[in-house]
Every structure is written in C-alpha cells, then in structure tokens.
Amino acid sequence: MTIIKKTLQHLTLRKLKIRTRMSLVLGLMALLQTGLLGIFALNYLDNSLEEQMGQQAVHVAKTISVIPQIISAVEQRDSDFLQPTSLQLADTIDARFVVIGDINSIRLAHPNYERVGQPMYDDDGDYNEPALLEGRPYVQKAIGSLGASIRGKSPIFDSTGETVIGVVSVGFLLDNVDSIIARYRTTLTVAILSAFLLSVLTAIWFANHFKKAIFGLEPEQIGLLFEERNATLESIREGIIAINSQGLITTFNRAALHTLELTDKTPLLGKPIQTILPGSQLLEVLANGEPQFDQEFWVGETCLIANRIPVCQNDQIIGVVSSFRRKDELDMVSRKLTRIQQYADSLRSQTHEYSNKLHTIAGLIQIGANNEALNLIGQETENHQTLIHLLVEAVPDPVLAGCLLGKYNRARELGLHLKVDTESRMTDLPERLPRDQLVSIIGNLLDNAFDATLAHTGAGGEVFLTMTDLGNDLIFEIEDQGAGIPLDEQARIFEKGVSSKHEPGHGIGLHLVETLLHRLAGTVTIDPTERGGSRFTVYIPKINPNHTPKSTKGSPA
C-alpha cells in the first residue's frame, strides 16, 4: 500500500508546478474542512429541531390533558365530542395530529375516524406505559400510519388529579424538519463551494508570492541547490560561518570546525556567535553593514585572516558571512614565492654579472692583454672571496647569508656597490625566528635602498649594511645615497600602495616590512645620513613577547 501511495505521489504531484500543488492542497483542505463542518452543522441542526419539536409537542399535550372538557369527555368516553375537538386543536396548533386514548390505549379521537376504537399501539408499537402506568409525559420518535413524526405524550388525570384515565398524543411530522434541513443543506453547499473557490484563489495568490520569494524555483530545484550548497561549502578549504540578523549561527562547514580547533560534534547551528567566538566582529558588520577584508585576528595562539561580508535583502541586512583561514598557510605560500624570487634574482644577477666578466676576459685574451685578463680574474675572485669569508664568519645562518650574497650580486648588476661593514656580526639568531620573515624584511629594505640610490646617484652609488646581535635585539642598519625622505612623509611610506614610483605594482615592500616587524614585535626607524640619503634601522627582539601564551585577542569571524 505504501509503495502504491508513493508511486501515485511520484506520478502526480511531482509533475505539477508548485502553484498547482498549493492550489490543489489548500483547496482540498478547505473543501474537507467546510464539508466536515457542514455535516456536523446539519446533524446538529437536525437533532436540535427534533428536540425542540418534541418539547413543543409535550407542552401542547400537557396543556390539552388539563382541559376540563377533555377530562370529562375521556371519563365518559365521548368520542363524538373528542373527535372534532382533536381536529380543531390540531389545526389550531399547526400539529399533524392530536390523538386521545383511554386508560387502555384505545383511541377516542384520531384524524382518521376509521381508527377510532382501535388500540394506539398498532400504529407505532408504543403501549404508552410511561404516561399510563407512571403518569409522566415523554417524547417519542416513531413512524406511524401518518408517517414519521415527533410525538409528545402526556397522561390525562381525572377531575381529582390522582388517577390516570387516558393519554393525549400530539404529533408533528418530520417532513417540516426535512424541508428545513434541505434548505440549510443548499445554503451550506453554496458556502462550501464558495470557500473552496476562495481557497483556490488564495492559494494561487500565495503560491505566486511564495514562488517570487524563492526566485521562481520548484521545491525539487531548491533541494538540489541545497545539496549543491552543502557540497560547495565542504569543498572549500577556508572556514565559513554565517549568522542571521539575531546573531545566531545559520551556516558553517567542516573547515571552520577544524580551523577553530572544534570537534565535528560541536553544536553550532542556532548558537549565538558570541558564545562560540567571544569578541566576534561579525556583529559589528551586522550593525554597520561595512564589509571587512583581510583582517588579522588571533584565536588563542593562532593567527587567522578573515573576510566578512553583509548579506542584504531589500536593502536590509539580514546576516553576515565570514570566510577565514590560518595565516600560516598564506605565509607558507608567501615563503615559497619569496625564496623562489630570491633564487631567481640571485641566479639572474650572477649569470648576468659573470657573463659580462667572461666576455671582457675573452676580449682581453683575444687582443693579447693577458696580464690585464689575469688581474681582472684575480680582482673578481678577491672581491667574492672577501664577501664570502665575511659572511661565513659573521653570518653563519645559510638563509640570511644566501640572501645577502644574492643582494650583493643584484647591486653589481645594477651598477651599485653593496658594502657590508666588516665589524658586522649576526651569529646569535634565535631558533624560533622565522628565517623567511627575516630575509623578507632585509631583502625589501635593500631593494628599496637600491632603487633610491640608483634614482638619485646613478651607477656607482653605494649602499651600506651594518649588522649586530649584541644585547637583546638584532639590529640592522641600511644606508642609501638617495634623495632622503621628508619627515612628514616618513609615516606614510609604510602604508600599502604608497610609493615614490609611478609605475603600478609598487608600494608593497615597505608595507610588508612593517607587517612582518609587527608580527615579530620589532620596530624600524628612519634617520637622515651625512651623505643626504636615509638610514633604516631595524630592531628585532630576540625574545618575542607576542609568542608567549595569551588570551584571545580577537575573532576570525
């Protein structure tokens, strides 16, 4: 039976549009409800009319039973008086009949004169025992010789009022009740059909409004979109959390649980965002409607990057969606790109530099200037050996040393000279200090010094680097021979996109330097030099206070 029912549903309802489905369902519900109410109302009305008619018949019978002339005629069994009197009384009270019988239930008066003298029970099977034996009036519904009727029967007492001498039966035919019920049935049928039509029209209007609210989609399409949406959320590696206008979580994916170090069984749906992520900025976006992009926040000891976008409907904010991921994942990609770029720059510089030297040496040999060729080879070897010897002793860390060697070759490629102070020492690098962040800071500052020197001094300009690890800080000083930086612009040069160059793609290096120094709890100062350029001094503490355990400083969502 269940299979047949499901098959019928599949063959019928699933092929209909949502508008047709809603019209049929609401219309049938209205038809069923009004039909049941109509049947109940008709039955109730039928019973009420019969009860009222029975009470009326009893009252009339009791009234007739106390008329002195009726009592006297019953005592004398005077049918000649009772017969016309009963007919007159029936006509007066608009009853179908008034029947009078003696103590033995023998008719003394009847609308059909031929039945006078016959027992009353042969008409309806009632021996009138409640009235004749118990002396009390009662109501009876029966089908007699005159048809179905409601009868009220009352005992007739003698003149002393003590002895029952007969019975009066007053009847109202049920034809009147049936006609009233039929009239009401017609009215209720019209009302039921009108309610059905009104329900169908209401269903059509509601279906149009509902379909507009769901962008004209059918329920099956919505279900498919819901499944696709869940699959899409789970396929995204970033954590996703969405809240509604009350700040309750409505959507999240498994990546969000893992990123926030929550278990898969943690109940999030319907929970206030503040109970899951105290201090969440989602409520701020919900209040002002301003999106937030690439915001750094800490959850415990984990730094996350979050984007928060308000969800609007009819120009009203109905929720906020946040996507976030661990910053170290971005840093990993950044480190790889930085190293690749450094390797590429170093290889390109060395290739270009050695290619020029080899061409020069080949030319000297071809013209017979062998001594000059040997001097050039010796000079080149001496310069590199001096720098390499300094880096080996002063900078034992291979990552930092490799960065400085690459920048040395880059400077020579540009026609500049990178001079490293021979008194520099950087042998006490903390193990926890990320080397990629350190070389990004130094490399960007050296690149900035190269650009400033080349733009102001030109080829032959010098850039100076001094390093020391004495004390509690790592200190790097980088001097250029540029035009210098005015005091009112020193604070702006670290802003993202701010650059003295007009070509697109600049204004990132110094901003990255400040960001990385902030992460390492370091600082950078800018001072003018005697040569007119600028000196950038970087201070990086060997013990980073931001690395110690701390309470949550913010929320990724």
Side-chain angles (χ1 to χ4, degrees):
M1 186 66 183
T2 304
I3 297 176
I4 296 176
K5 184 177 180 182
K6 290 183 178 180
T7 304
L8 291 175
Q9 290 177 349
H10 179 76
L11 293 176
T12 55
L13 289 179
R14 287 187 176 275
K15 291 185 177 181
L16 300 177
K17 300 294 184 181
I18 182 65
R19 181 186 308 169
T20 307
R21 295 189 211 178
M22 295 184 68
S23 301
L24 288 177
V25 172
L26 292 181
L28 291 176
M29 288 182 61
L31 183 62
L32 180 62
Q33 291 175 352
T34 52
L36 292 176
L37 289 175
I39 293 174
F40 172 78
L42 290 176
N43 290 333
Y44 182 78
L45 180 62
D46 188 13
N47 294 332
S48 297
L49 289 176
E50 289 183 2
E51 183 179 358
Q52 292 178 7
M53 193 173 290
Q55 294 299 323
Q56 181 182 2
V58 168
H59 289 314
V60 172
K62 290 169 64 177
T63 302
I64 294 175
S65 67
V66 297
I67 297 176
Q69 293 85 351
I70 298 297
I71 296 174
S72 177
V74 172
E75 288 177 340
Q76 299 174 10
R77 300 181 59 84
D78 187 1
S79 296
D80 294 334
F81 173 78
L82 293 174
Q83 179 67 19
T85 302
S86 66
L87 295 176
Q88 184 179 3
L89 288 173
D91 184 63
T92 301
I93 62 178
D94 199 21
R96 181 64 184 86
F97 60 84
V98 175
V99 178
I100 302 175
D102 61 12
I103 188 62
N104 297 315
S105 292
I106 302 300
R107 296 188 186 98
L108 300 177
H110 192 274
N112 187 355
Y113 187 75
E114 295 178 355
R115 292 183 176 270
V116 175
Q118 297 180 2
M120 295 176 67
Y121 64 83
D122 66 357
D123 191 19
D124 53 18
D126 182 20
Y127 290 91
N128 303 313
E129 293 178 351
L132 296 176
L133 299 181
E134 301 176 13
R136 62 179 178 83
Y138 67 97
V139 178
Q140 179 197 31
K141 180 180 179 181
I143 300 177
S145 60
L146 298 177
S149 61
I150 292 291
R151 304 174 182 188
K153 296 186 178 184
S154 177
I156 301 175
F157 291 90
D158 60 8
S159 57
T160 63
E162 297 179 356
T163 305
V164 177
I165 60 174
V167 62
V168 177
S169 177
V170 178
F172 294 93
L173 291 181
L174 294 178
D175 294 344
N176 295 332
V177 175
D178 293 338
S179 62
I180 294 174
I181 296 299
R183 188 165 62 251
Y184 277 100
R185 186 181 294 111
T186 302
T187 303
L188 285 174
T189 301
V190 174
I192 290 173
L193 293 177
S194 300
F196 174 73
L197 180 61
L198 179 62
S199 298
V200 171
L201 295 176
T202 303
I204 293 174
W205 172 83
F206 181 75
N208 290 334
H209 177 75
F210 180 75
K211 197 165 185 179
K212 182 179 179 181
I214 60 176
F215 304 100
L217 299 174
E218 295 297 324
E220 291 76 14
Q221 294 174 318
I222 296 176
L224 180 60
L225 289 176
F226 181 77
E227 295 296 334
E228 291 178 351
R229 167 255 197 189
N230 289 339
T232 301
L233 285 177
E234 295 304 327
S235 66
I236 297 175
R237 294 185 59 188
E238 290 190 347
I240 302 292
I241 285 184
I243 62 172
N244 59 14
S245 57
Q246 285 77 41
L248 304 180
I249 298 175
T250 58
T251 302
F252 63 93
N253 63 354
R254 189 174 289 106
L257 296 175
H258 294 169
T259 303
L260 300 177
E261 298 180 356
L262 303 174
T263 64
D264 292 343
K265 296 183 179 180
T266 302
L268 292 186
L269 200 62
K271 295 288 186 180
I273 188 64
Q274 291 287 35
T275 62
I276 304 298
L277 297 171
S280 172
Q281 298 298 312
L282 281 174
L283 297 180
E284 179 181 338
V285 178
L286 186 65
N288 57 34
E290 295 293 332
Q292 298 178 358
F293 300 99
D294 299 329
Q295 298 292 313
E296 289 188 16
F297 286 94
W298 288 83
V299 173
E301 296 184 11
T302 304
C303 184
L304 302 170
I305 302 294
N307 296 316
R308 309 178 187 95
I309 305 294
V311 180
C312 299
Q313 185 179 42
N314 298 327
D315 297 330
Q316 291 185 347
I317 301 175
I318 60 174
V320 181
V321 177
S322 174
S323 64
F324 51 92
R325 69 186 305 169
R326 295 170 62 96
K327 188 176 181 181
D328 53 11
E329 295 182 10
L330 301 177
D331 290 341
M332 186 182 300
V333 176
S334 177
R335 287 195 297 267
K336 291 181 180 179
L337 293 177
T338 300
R339 290 178 181 176
I340 291 173
Q341 183 178 4
Q342 290 174 353
Y343 295 152
D345 290 342
S346 179
L347 290 174
R348 185 180 66 251
S349 299
Q350 292 183 15
T351 300
H352 183 71
E353 180 71 14
Y354 283 111
S355 177
N356 293 333
K357 297 296 183 181
L358 288 175
H359 291 161
T360 303
I361 294 172
L364 290 174
I365 294 175
Q366 288 177 359
I367 63 175
N370 296 331
N371 293 331
E372 287 78 1
L374 292 174
N375 292 334
L376 181 60
I377 294 173
Q379 180 183 359
E380 182 65 22
T381 303
E382 181 182 359
N383 291 337
H384 273 83
Q385 287 300 323
T386 301
L387 177 63
I388 292 174
H389 181 73
L390 173 63
L391 293 179
V392 168
E393 289 188 355
V395 187
D397 186 85
V399 176
L400 180 57
C403 172
L404 296 178
L405 183 59
K407 294 303 177 183
Y408 174 83
N409 293 323
R410 175 61 178 167
R412 297 191 61 178
E413 180 185 0
L414 296 174
L416 302 174
H417 299 284
L418 174 60
K419 293 188 175 183
V420 181
D421 189 350
T422 57
E423 300 297 326
S424 294
R425 289 292 181 273
M426 192 59 59
T427 59
D428 190 19
L429 286 178
E431 289 295 331
R432 58 89 195 160
L433 180 64
R435 299 302 191 263
D436 59 302
Q437 297 182 18
L438 177 62
V439 298
S440 293
I441 294 171
I442 304 305
N444 278 289
L445 289 176
L446 287 173
D447 288 338
N448 186 70
F450 293 161
D451 293 339
T453 301
L454 191 62
H456 183 70
T457 305
E462 296 178 337
V463 175
F464 301 90
L465 171 63
T466 302
M467 301 175 293
T468 180
D469 57 4
L470 297 177
N472 297 325
D473 296 328
L474 306 177
I475 303 175
F476 299 85
E477 290 186 357
I478 298 174
E479 296 184 15
D480 61 50
Q481 291 182 341
I485 303 174
L487 185 61
D488 56 347
E489 294 184 7
Q490 290 183 5
R492 294 186 63 251
I493 63 173
F494 293 102
E495 296 179 6
K496 189 175 182 179
V498 175
S499 175
S500 59
K501 305 178 184 66
H502 300 290
E503 297 84 357
H506 295 283
I508 303 298
L510 292 181
H511 173 71
L512 179 60
V513 168
E514 184 183 46
T515 302
L516 294 175
L517 284 175
H518 177 73
R519 190 181 306 172
L520 300 175
T523 58
V524 58
T525 62
I526 305 175
D527 300 297
T529 66
E530 298 176 355
R531 303 177 182 86
S534 300
R535 179 189 300 110
F536 286 77
T537 305
V538 174
Y539 301 89
I540 300 177
K542 296 179 180 179
I543 299 177
N544 185 356
N546 293 334
H547 189 68
T548 58
K550 55 186 177 301
S551 60
T552 300
K553 293 173 59 179
S555 166

